[in-house]
């Protein structure tokens, strides 16, 4: 269901003009207004889901199929050397708009680093304990 107070619901459903590059009954893919690189787009479901925890499994699967299709288009048409597919959940993870969305960020050789982290080394005992926590 679309929410009247959600900016991404309005963007996804054409209530606010966008630079759409793909649209079907369930999704709108729009150019990011503040792109991380040339060709940065957002996959927006037309229905409102706050994050990965709310989106139905079938819809989440369709997002990945669409991400693959759009990644191929961006790579071919923009001569991108790589693609980052980013999906943030929760404020601590960098989510600023609480409507599920997926970023496709074309990467170019020699361009700035966009998605990085500093690898950590954890003791074997801690890794074993974390594995047990994840397994439940």
């Amino acid at each position: 269901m679309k929410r009247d107070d959600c900016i991404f619901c309005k963007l996804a459903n054409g209530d606010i003009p966008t630079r759409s590059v793909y649209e079907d009954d369930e999704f709108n893919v729009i150019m990011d207004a503040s792109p991380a690189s040339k060709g940065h787009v957002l996959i927006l479901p037309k229905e409102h889901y706050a994050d990965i925890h709310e989106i139905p499994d079938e819809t989440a699967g369709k997002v990945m199929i669409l991400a693959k299709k759009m990644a191929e288009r961006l790579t071919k048409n923009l001569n991108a050397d790589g693609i980052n597919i980013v999906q943030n959940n929760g404020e601590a993870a960098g989510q600023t708009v609480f409507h599920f969305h997926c970023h496709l960020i074309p990467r170019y050789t020699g361009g700035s680093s966009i998605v990085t982290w500093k690898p950590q080394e954890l003791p074997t005992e801690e890794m074993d304990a974390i594995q047990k926590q994840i397994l439940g």
Side-chain angles (χ1 to χ4, degrees), residues 18 25 67 74 93:
T18 64
D25 291 341
L74 293 170

Side-chain angles (χ1 to χ4, degrees), residues 46-116:
K46 291 184 176 182
E47 295 292 321
H48 184 84
Y49 311 105
D51 55 29
I52 194 79
H53 305 289
E54 289 188 6
I55 194 167
D57 291 349
E58 183 179 339
T59 306
K62 290 177 181 179
V63 169
M64 190 53 69
I65 292 167
L66 181 54
K68 180 181 185 293
K69 178 180 186 172
M70 293 307 304
E72 290 168 355
R73 184 182 293 180
L74 293 170
T75 299
K76 178 183 174 193
N77 294 347
L78 298 177
N79 297 313
D81 299 307
I83 299 280
N84 286 119
I85 299 173
V86 179
Q87 202 286 306
N88 302 319
N89 294 280
E91 196 172 328
Q95 185 177 12
T96 58
V97 178
F98 292 87
H99 177 114
F100 178 95
H101 58 286
C102 185
H103 296 261
L104 275 73
I105 306 169
R107 301 295 304 273
Y108 303 94
T109 301
S112 64
S113 181
I114 295 169
V115 178
T116 62

